[in-house]
Short mmCIF file of all heavy atoms in Angstrom, two decimals:
data_model
loop_
_atom_site.label_atom_id
_atom_site.label_comp_id
_atom_site.label_asym_id
_atom_site.label_seq_id
_atom_site.Cartn_x
_atom_site.Cartn_y
_atom_site.Cartn_z
N MET A 1 0.83 -1.20 0.00
CA MET A 1 0.00 0.00 0.00
C MET A 1 0.87 1.25 0.00
O MET A 1 1.87 1.33 0.67
CB MET A 1 -0.89 -0.02 1.25
CG MET A 1 -1.78 1.22 1.38
SD MET A 1 -2.52 1.34 3.02
CE MET A 1 -2.23 3.06 3.34
N SER A 2 0.46 2.23 -0.78
CA SER A 2 1.16 3.51 -0.81
C SER A 2 0.82 4.32 0.44
O SER A 2 -0.25 4.18 1.01
CB SER A 2 0.73 4.29 -2.05
OG SER A 2 1.14 5.62 -1.96
N ASP A 3 1.75 5.17 0.86
CA ASP A 3 1.41 6.07 1.96
C ASP A 3 1.28 7.50 1.45
O ASP A 3 1.29 8.44 2.21
CB ASP A 3 2.43 5.97 3.10
CG ASP A 3 3.83 6.31 2.63
OD1 ASP A 3 4.02 6.56 1.42
OD2 ASP A 3 4.73 6.32 3.49
N GLN A 4 1.15 7.62 0.11
CA GLN A 4 0.95 8.92 -0.50
C GLN A 4 -0.54 9.20 -0.59
O GLN A 4 -1.27 8.50 -1.28
CB GLN A 4 1.54 8.94 -1.90
CG GLN A 4 3.04 9.02 -1.94
CD GLN A 4 3.53 10.41 -1.58
OE1 GLN A 4 3.79 10.70 -0.43
NE2 GLN A 4 3.65 11.27 -2.55
N MET A 5 -1.00 10.21 0.10
CA MET A 5 -2.43 10.50 0.06
C MET A 5 -2.81 11.19 -1.25
O MET A 5 -2.01 11.92 -1.84
CB MET A 5 -2.85 11.36 1.24
CG MET A 5 -2.46 12.81 1.14
SD MET A 5 -3.14 13.71 2.54
CE MET A 5 -3.25 15.36 1.83
N ASN A 6 -4.03 10.92 -1.70
CA ASN A 6 -4.59 11.62 -2.84
C ASN A 6 -5.41 12.78 -2.28
O ASN A 6 -6.48 12.55 -1.70
CB ASN A 6 -5.46 10.68 -3.67
CG ASN A 6 -6.03 11.35 -4.90
OD1 ASN A 6 -6.16 12.57 -4.94
ND2 ASN A 6 -6.37 10.56 -5.89
N PRO A 7 -4.96 14.02 -2.44
CA PRO A 7 -5.65 15.15 -1.82
C PRO A 7 -7.03 15.42 -2.40
O PRO A 7 -7.78 16.23 -1.88
CB PRO A 7 -4.70 16.33 -2.08
CG PRO A 7 -3.94 15.94 -3.30
CD PRO A 7 -3.79 14.44 -3.23
N HIS A 8 -7.36 14.70 -3.49
CA HIS A 8 -8.66 14.89 -4.13
C HIS A 8 -9.70 13.90 -3.62
O HIS A 8 -10.87 13.99 -4.00
CB HIS A 8 -8.54 14.76 -5.65
CG HIS A 8 -7.53 15.71 -6.24
ND1 HIS A 8 -7.74 17.07 -6.27
CD2 HIS A 8 -6.30 15.49 -6.76
CE1 HIS A 8 -6.67 17.65 -6.83
NE2 HIS A 8 -5.80 16.71 -7.13
N ILE A 9 -9.27 12.92 -2.81
CA ILE A 9 -10.23 11.92 -2.32
C ILE A 9 -10.17 11.88 -0.79
O ILE A 9 -9.36 11.16 -0.19
CB ILE A 9 -9.94 10.51 -2.90
CG1 ILE A 9 -9.85 10.56 -4.43
CG2 ILE A 9 -11.04 9.54 -2.46
CD1 ILE A 9 -9.52 9.22 -5.08
N HIS A 10 -10.99 12.67 -0.16
CA HIS A 10 -11.10 12.68 1.30
C HIS A 10 -11.95 11.49 1.72
O HIS A 10 -13.03 11.27 1.17
CB HIS A 10 -11.73 13.99 1.76
CG HIS A 10 -11.81 14.12 3.24
ND1 HIS A 10 -12.81 14.80 3.87
CD2 HIS A 10 -11.01 13.65 4.22
CE1 HIS A 10 -12.63 14.75 5.18
NE2 HIS A 10 -11.54 14.06 5.42
N CYS A 11 -11.49 10.71 2.66
CA CYS A 11 -12.22 9.52 3.08
C CYS A 11 -11.90 9.22 4.54
O CYS A 11 -10.73 9.25 4.94
CB CYS A 11 -11.84 8.32 2.21
SG CYS A 11 -12.69 6.81 2.69
N THR A 12 -12.93 8.91 5.31
CA THR A 12 -12.75 8.64 6.74
C THR A 12 -12.90 7.16 7.07
O THR A 12 -12.97 6.80 8.24
CB THR A 12 -13.77 9.44 7.56
OG1 THR A 12 -15.09 9.06 7.15
CG2 THR A 12 -13.60 10.94 7.35
N VAL A 13 -12.92 6.31 6.05
CA VAL A 13 -13.11 4.87 6.29
C VAL A 13 -11.77 4.23 6.66
O VAL A 13 -11.05 3.70 5.81
CB VAL A 13 -13.74 4.19 5.05
CG1 VAL A 13 -14.02 2.73 5.36
CG2 VAL A 13 -15.02 4.91 4.64
N SER A 14 -11.45 4.29 7.93
CA SER A 14 -10.13 3.82 8.38
C SER A 14 -9.99 2.31 8.29
O SER A 14 -8.89 1.78 8.33
CB SER A 14 -9.87 4.29 9.81
OG SER A 14 -10.86 3.80 10.68
N GLN A 15 -11.12 1.61 8.16
CA GLN A 15 -11.07 0.15 8.04
C GLN A 15 -10.60 -0.31 6.67
O GLN A 15 -10.34 -1.50 6.45
CB GLN A 15 -12.45 -0.46 8.33
CG GLN A 15 -12.94 -0.26 9.75
CD GLN A 15 -13.63 1.10 9.95
OE1 GLN A 15 -13.71 1.94 9.04
NE2 GLN A 15 -14.12 1.32 11.17
N CYS A 16 -10.49 0.61 5.73
CA CYS A 16 -10.05 0.28 4.37
C CYS A 16 -8.53 0.34 4.29
O CYS A 16 -7.90 1.29 4.80
CB CYS A 16 -10.66 1.26 3.38
SG CYS A 16 -10.12 0.97 1.67
N GLU A 17 -7.93 -0.66 3.63
CA GLU A 17 -6.47 -0.70 3.54
C GLU A 17 -5.90 0.43 2.68
O GLU A 17 -4.71 0.70 2.73
CB GLU A 17 -6.00 -2.05 3.01
CG GLU A 17 -6.29 -2.30 1.55
CD GLU A 17 -5.71 -3.62 1.06
OE1 GLU A 17 -5.22 -4.41 1.89
OE2 GLU A 17 -5.77 -3.85 -0.16
N HIS A 18 -6.73 1.08 1.89
CA HIS A 18 -6.26 2.17 1.04
C HIS A 18 -6.33 3.53 1.75
O HIS A 18 -5.95 4.54 1.18
CB HIS A 18 -7.09 2.26 -0.25
CG HIS A 18 -7.04 1.02 -1.08
ND1 HIS A 18 -5.86 0.48 -1.51
CD2 HIS A 18 -8.02 0.21 -1.54
CE1 HIS A 18 -6.13 -0.62 -2.21
NE2 HIS A 18 -7.42 -0.80 -2.24
N ASN A 19 -6.81 3.54 2.98
CA ASN A 19 -7.00 4.80 3.70
C ASN A 19 -5.73 5.19 4.46
O ASN A 19 -5.14 4.37 5.15
CB ASN A 19 -8.17 4.66 4.68
CG ASN A 19 -8.63 6.00 5.21
OD1 ASN A 19 -8.09 6.51 6.18
ND2 ASN A 19 -9.61 6.58 4.56
N LEU A 20 -5.33 6.44 4.30
CA LEU A 20 -4.23 6.97 5.10
C LEU A 20 -4.86 7.58 6.35
O LEU A 20 -5.29 8.73 6.36
CB LEU A 20 -3.45 8.03 4.31
CG LEU A 20 -2.20 8.58 4.99
CD1 LEU A 20 -1.19 7.46 5.26
CD2 LEU A 20 -1.58 9.68 4.15
N CYS A 21 -4.93 6.77 7.38
CA CYS A 21 -5.73 7.11 8.57
C CYS A 21 -5.27 8.40 9.23
O CYS A 21 -6.08 9.16 9.75
CB CYS A 21 -5.66 5.98 9.58
SG CYS A 21 -6.18 4.41 8.87
N SER A 22 -3.98 8.65 9.20
CA SER A 22 -3.46 9.83 9.89
C SER A 22 -3.97 11.12 9.25
O SER A 22 -3.98 12.17 9.90
CB SER A 22 -1.93 9.81 9.89
OG SER A 22 -1.45 9.76 8.57
N ALA A 23 -4.38 11.04 7.99
CA ALA A 23 -4.82 12.25 7.30
C ALA A 23 -6.25 12.16 6.80
O ALA A 23 -6.81 13.15 6.34
CB ALA A 23 -3.90 12.52 6.11
N GLN A 24 -6.86 10.97 6.88
CA GLN A 24 -8.23 10.75 6.42
C GLN A 24 -8.37 11.06 4.93
O GLN A 24 -9.29 11.79 4.50
CB GLN A 24 -9.23 11.55 7.26
CG GLN A 24 -9.25 11.11 8.70
CD GLN A 24 -10.40 11.70 9.49
OE1 GLN A 24 -10.87 12.78 9.21
NE2 GLN A 24 -10.85 10.96 10.49
N PHE A 25 -7.43 10.51 4.15
CA PHE A 25 -7.51 10.60 2.70
C PHE A 25 -7.23 9.23 2.11
O PHE A 25 -6.55 8.39 2.73
CB PHE A 25 -6.48 11.61 2.15
CG PHE A 25 -6.93 13.04 2.24
CD1 PHE A 25 -6.69 13.78 3.38
CD2 PHE A 25 -7.60 13.63 1.18
CE1 PHE A 25 -7.11 15.10 3.48
CE2 PHE A 25 -8.03 14.96 1.27
CZ PHE A 25 -7.78 15.69 2.41
N CYS A 26 -7.74 9.02 0.90
CA CYS A 26 -7.47 7.79 0.16
C CYS A 26 -6.07 7.88 -0.45
O CYS A 26 -5.59 8.97 -0.77
CB CYS A 26 -8.52 7.64 -0.93
SG CYS A 26 -8.40 6.09 -1.83
N THR A 27 -5.43 6.73 -0.64
CA THR A 27 -4.10 6.71 -1.25
C THR A 27 -4.13 6.25 -2.71
O THR A 27 -3.09 6.23 -3.36
CB THR A 27 -3.16 5.78 -0.46
OG1 THR A 27 -3.74 4.48 -0.42
CG2 THR A 27 -2.94 6.28 0.96
N LEU A 28 -5.30 5.89 -3.21
CA LEU A 28 -5.39 5.45 -4.61
C LEU A 28 -5.41 6.66 -5.55
O LEU A 28 -5.82 7.75 -5.16
CB LEU A 28 -6.68 4.63 -4.81
CG LEU A 28 -6.77 3.33 -4.03
CD1 LEU A 28 -8.12 2.66 -4.29
CD2 LEU A 28 -5.63 2.39 -4.38
N ASP A 29 -5.00 6.41 -6.80
CA ASP A 29 -5.06 7.47 -7.81
C ASP A 29 -6.50 7.77 -8.21
O ASP A 29 -6.85 8.89 -8.57
CB ASP A 29 -4.28 7.06 -9.06
CG ASP A 29 -2.79 7.01 -8.81
OD1 ASP A 29 -2.33 7.67 -7.85
OD2 ASP A 29 -2.10 6.29 -9.53
N GLN A 30 -7.32 6.71 -8.20
CA GLN A 30 -8.73 6.85 -8.52
C GLN A 30 -9.50 5.75 -7.80
O GLN A 30 -8.92 4.74 -7.41
CB GLN A 30 -8.97 6.76 -10.03
CG GLN A 30 -8.52 5.44 -10.62
CD GLN A 30 -8.77 5.36 -12.12
OE1 GLN A 30 -9.16 6.34 -12.75
NE2 GLN A 30 -8.56 4.20 -12.69
N VAL A 31 -10.80 5.96 -7.62
CA VAL A 31 -11.64 4.95 -6.98
C VAL A 31 -12.87 4.70 -7.85
O VAL A 31 -13.26 5.56 -8.66
CB VAL A 31 -12.08 5.38 -5.55
CG1 VAL A 31 -10.89 5.43 -4.62
CG2 VAL A 31 -12.82 6.70 -5.58
N GLN A 32 -13.45 3.52 -7.65
CA GLN A 32 -14.68 3.16 -8.36
C GLN A 32 -15.85 3.36 -7.40
O GLN A 32 -15.87 2.78 -6.31
CB GLN A 32 -14.61 1.69 -8.81
CG GLN A 32 -15.87 1.16 -9.44
CD GLN A 32 -16.08 1.72 -10.84
OE1 GLN A 32 -15.12 1.90 -11.58
NE2 GLN A 32 -17.32 1.99 -11.20
N ILE A 33 -16.82 4.18 -7.81
CA ILE A 33 -18.01 4.41 -7.01
C ILE A 33 -19.18 3.68 -7.65
O ILE A 33 -19.42 3.82 -8.85
CB ILE A 33 -18.32 5.92 -6.89
CG1 ILE A 33 -17.11 6.68 -6.35
CG2 ILE A 33 -19.55 6.14 -6.02
CD1 ILE A 33 -16.63 6.22 -4.98
N ASP A 34 -19.90 2.90 -6.83
CA ASP A 34 -21.02 2.10 -7.31
C ASP A 34 -22.25 2.37 -6.45
O ASP A 34 -22.17 3.05 -5.44
CB ASP A 34 -20.70 0.60 -7.21
CG ASP A 34 -19.83 0.14 -8.36
OD1 ASP A 34 -19.78 0.83 -9.39
OD2 ASP A 34 -19.21 -0.93 -8.22
N THR A 35 -23.35 1.74 -6.85
CA THR A 35 -24.54 1.74 -6.01
C THR A 35 -25.07 0.32 -5.90
O THR A 35 -24.88 -0.49 -6.80
CB THR A 35 -25.64 2.66 -6.59
OG1 THR A 35 -26.75 2.63 -5.70
CG2 THR A 35 -26.08 2.21 -7.97
N HIS A 36 -25.67 0.02 -4.76
CA HIS A 36 -26.29 -1.29 -4.55
C HIS A 36 -27.81 -1.20 -4.72
O HIS A 36 -28.52 -2.14 -4.42
CB HIS A 36 -25.93 -1.84 -3.16
CG HIS A 36 -26.26 -0.88 -2.05
ND1 HIS A 36 -25.38 0.08 -1.61
CD2 HIS A 36 -27.38 -0.72 -1.32
CE1 HIS A 36 -25.95 0.79 -0.65
NE2 HIS A 36 -27.17 0.32 -0.45
N GLU A 37 -28.28 -0.05 -5.17
CA GLU A 37 -29.71 0.17 -5.36
C GLU A 37 -30.03 0.28 -6.85
O GLU A 37 -29.18 0.70 -7.65
CB GLU A 37 -30.15 1.47 -4.67
CG GLU A 37 -29.85 1.53 -3.18
CD GLU A 37 -30.78 0.66 -2.37
OE1 GLU A 37 -31.82 0.23 -2.90
OE2 GLU A 37 -30.46 0.42 -1.20
N SER A 38 -31.25 -0.04 -7.22
CA SER A 38 -31.65 0.10 -8.63
C SER A 38 -31.97 1.55 -8.97
O SER A 38 -31.87 1.96 -10.13
CB SER A 38 -32.85 -0.79 -8.92
OG SER A 38 -33.92 -0.46 -8.06
N ASN A 39 -32.37 2.32 -7.96
CA ASN A 39 -32.70 3.72 -8.19
C ASN A 39 -32.22 4.56 -7.00
O ASN A 39 -33.01 4.96 -6.15
CB ASN A 39 -34.22 3.87 -8.37
CG ASN A 39 -34.61 5.28 -8.75
OD1 ASN A 39 -33.79 6.04 -9.28
ND2 ASN A 39 -35.85 5.65 -8.46
N PRO A 40 -30.91 4.80 -6.91
CA PRO A 40 -30.36 5.49 -5.74
C PRO A 40 -30.97 6.88 -5.56
O PRO A 40 -31.14 7.62 -6.53
CB PRO A 40 -28.86 5.56 -6.05
CG PRO A 40 -28.74 5.34 -7.51
CD PRO A 40 -29.88 4.49 -7.92
N SER A 41 -31.28 7.21 -4.30
CA SER A 41 -31.93 8.49 -4.02
C SER A 41 -31.27 9.26 -2.88
O SER A 41 -31.51 10.46 -2.74
CB SER A 41 -33.41 8.26 -3.69
OG SER A 41 -33.52 7.36 -2.61
N VAL A 42 -30.47 8.60 -2.06
CA VAL A 42 -29.77 9.27 -0.96
C VAL A 42 -28.33 8.76 -0.92
O VAL A 42 -28.00 7.72 -1.52
CB VAL A 42 -30.45 9.00 0.40
CG1 VAL A 42 -31.82 9.66 0.46
CG2 VAL A 42 -30.55 7.52 0.69
N LYS A 43 -27.47 9.45 -0.22
CA LYS A 43 -26.05 9.10 -0.24
C LYS A 43 -25.78 7.71 0.32
O LYS A 43 -24.78 7.08 -0.04
CB LYS A 43 -25.23 10.15 0.51
CG LYS A 43 -25.55 10.27 1.99
CD LYS A 43 -24.75 11.40 2.62
CE LYS A 43 -25.05 11.53 4.10
NZ LYS A 43 -24.31 12.65 4.72
N GLU A 44 -26.65 7.21 1.18
CA GLU A 44 -26.48 5.87 1.75
C GLU A 44 -26.59 4.77 0.69
O GLU A 44 -26.23 3.61 0.95
CB GLU A 44 -27.49 5.62 2.87
CG GLU A 44 -27.19 6.35 4.17
CD GLU A 44 -27.57 7.84 4.13
OE1 GLU A 44 -28.23 8.28 3.16
OE2 GLU A 44 -27.20 8.56 5.08
N CYS A 45 -27.09 5.11 -0.48
CA CYS A 45 -27.23 4.14 -1.57
C CYS A 45 -25.93 3.94 -2.34
O CYS A 45 -25.84 3.06 -3.20
CB CYS A 45 -28.30 4.61 -2.55
SG CYS A 45 -29.93 4.83 -1.85
N VAL A 46 -24.94 4.76 -2.05
CA VAL A 46 -23.73 4.80 -2.87
C VAL A 46 -22.56 4.20 -2.10
O VAL A 46 -22.41 4.42 -0.90
CB VAL A 46 -23.43 6.27 -3.27
CG1 VAL A 46 -22.16 6.36 -4.07
CG2 VAL A 46 -24.61 6.85 -4.03
N ASP A 47 -21.72 3.43 -2.81
CA ASP A 47 -20.62 2.72 -2.15
C ASP A 47 -19.31 2.97 -2.88
O ASP A 47 -19.30 3.19 -4.10
CB ASP A 47 -20.87 1.21 -2.20
CG ASP A 47 -22.23 0.84 -1.66
OD1 ASP A 47 -22.48 1.10 -0.49
OD2 ASP A 47 -23.03 0.31 -2.45
N CYS A 48 -18.23 2.84 -2.16
CA CYS A 48 -16.90 2.82 -2.78
C CYS A 48 -16.57 1.35 -3.08
O CYS A 48 -16.35 0.56 -2.16
CB CYS A 48 -15.85 3.41 -1.85
SG CYS A 48 -14.21 3.33 -2.61
N ALA A 49 -16.52 1.02 -4.36
CA ALA A 49 -16.24 -0.36 -4.77
C ALA A 49 -14.75 -0.68 -4.70
O ALA A 49 -14.35 -1.82 -4.89
CB ALA A 49 -16.75 -0.58 -6.19
N SER A 50 -13.93 0.31 -4.43
CA SER A 50 -12.49 0.08 -4.28
C SER A 50 -12.12 -0.29 -2.85
O SER A 50 -10.95 -0.59 -2.57
CB SER A 50 -11.72 1.34 -4.70
OG SER A 50 -12.01 1.67 -6.03
N PHE A 51 -13.09 -0.31 -1.94
CA PHE A 51 -12.83 -0.66 -0.54
C PHE A 51 -12.24 -2.06 -0.43
O PHE A 51 -12.71 -3.00 -1.08
CB PHE A 51 -14.15 -0.60 0.25
CG PHE A 51 -14.02 -1.14 1.66
CD1 PHE A 51 -13.63 -0.31 2.70
CD2 PHE A 51 -14.29 -2.48 1.94
CE1 PHE A 51 -13.51 -0.80 4.00
CE2 PHE A 51 -14.18 -2.98 3.23
CZ PHE A 51 -13.79 -2.13 4.26
N ARG A 52 -11.20 -2.17 0.37
CA ARG A 52 -10.62 -3.47 0.72
C ARG A 52 -10.40 -3.47 2.22
O ARG A 52 -9.77 -2.56 2.76
CB ARG A 52 -9.28 -3.70 0.01
CG ARG A 52 -9.39 -3.82 -1.51
CD ARG A 52 -10.09 -5.10 -1.94
NE ARG A 52 -10.25 -5.18 -3.39
CZ ARG A 52 -11.32 -4.76 -4.05
NH1 ARG A 52 -12.35 -4.23 -3.40
NH2 ARG A 52 -11.39 -4.87 -5.36
N LYS A 53 -10.86 -4.52 2.89
CA LYS A 53 -10.74 -4.61 4.34
C LYS A 53 -9.27 -4.61 4.76
O LYS A 53 -8.45 -5.36 4.22
CB LYS A 53 -11.42 -5.88 4.83
CG LYS A 53 -11.34 -6.08 6.34
CD LYS A 53 -12.30 -5.19 7.07
CE LYS A 53 -12.28 -5.52 8.57
NZ LYS A 53 -11.73 -4.43 9.39
N ARG A 54 -8.94 -3.75 5.68
CA ARG A 54 -7.58 -3.69 6.22
C ARG A 54 -7.34 -4.92 7.09
O ARG A 54 -8.19 -5.29 7.89
CB ARG A 54 -7.45 -2.41 7.06
CG ARG A 54 -6.10 -2.18 7.66
CD ARG A 54 -6.13 -0.96 8.57
NE ARG A 54 -6.45 0.27 7.88
CZ ARG A 54 -5.57 0.99 7.17
NH1 ARG A 54 -4.31 0.60 7.10
NH2 ARG A 54 -5.93 2.09 6.56
N SER A 55 -6.19 -5.54 6.96
CA SER A 55 -5.92 -6.75 7.74
C SER A 55 -5.39 -6.40 9.14
O SER A 55 -5.72 -7.06 10.11
CB SER A 55 -4.93 -7.65 7.01
OG SER A 55 -3.76 -6.94 6.73
N GLY A 56 -4.59 -5.36 9.24
CA GLY A 56 -4.05 -4.99 10.54
C GLY A 56 -4.72 -3.74 11.07
O GLY A 56 -5.77 -3.34 10.58
N CYS A 57 -4.10 -3.15 12.06
CA CYS A 57 -4.67 -1.92 12.60
C CYS A 57 -4.20 -0.72 11.77
O CYS A 57 -3.29 -0.83 10.96
CB CYS A 57 -4.30 -1.73 14.06
SG CYS A 57 -2.53 -1.69 14.33
N CYS A 58 -4.82 0.41 11.99
CA CYS A 58 -4.60 1.60 11.18
C CYS A 58 -3.22 2.20 11.40
O CYS A 58 -2.70 2.17 12.46
CB CYS A 58 -5.68 2.62 11.56
SG CYS A 58 -5.80 3.97 10.42
S1 SF4 B 101 -10.71 2.88 -1.53
FE1 SF4 B 101 -12.64 3.93 -1.06
S2 SF4 B 101 -13.10 3.37 1.08
FE2 SF4 B 101 -10.95 2.91 0.69
S3 SF4 B 101 -9.82 4.73 1.38
FE3 SF4 B 101 -10.20 4.94 -0.83
S4 SF4 B 101 -12.10 6.11 -0.98
FE4 SF4 B 101 -11.97 5.30 1.11
#
């Protein structure tokens, strides 16, 4: 995993292995955003498909 934060992707999901927890930014160059709903209407319908569960602690 890179420790270079992407200043364009702010993210607080510290459980993701791509998250730079100390700064609350993603370290990927880009992320895939998806929805699990057929007709999304609120932000809770939207997911980051690039999420990967962190194996260790932050
Ligand atoms: S991959 Fe998605 S969930 Fe993981 S740190 Fe980046 S933006 Fe956050």
Side-chain angles (χ1 to χ4, degrees):
M1 178 193 135
S2 167
D3 59 357
Q4 285 286 91
M5 75 175 206
N6 182 336
H8 304 291
I9 308 178
H10 183 212
C11 179
T12 60
V13 184
S14 60
Q15 295 85 357
C16 178
E17 71 176 8
H18 300 305
N19 193 274
L20 185 61
C21 304
S22 58
Q24 296 190 331
F25 279 88
C26 185
T27 57
L28 297 177
D29 291 337
Q30 60 180 7
V31 293
Q32 175 73 37
I33 305 301
D34 280 341
T35 182
H36 54 272
E37 303 286 345
S38 57
N39 186 23
S41 56
V42 293
K43 64 183 180 182
E44 285 78 9
C45 301
V46 178
D47 307 298
C48 178
S50 301
F51 172 87
R52 294 291 177 268
K53 179 77 175 113
R54 182 185 297 280
S55 56
C57 58
C58 193

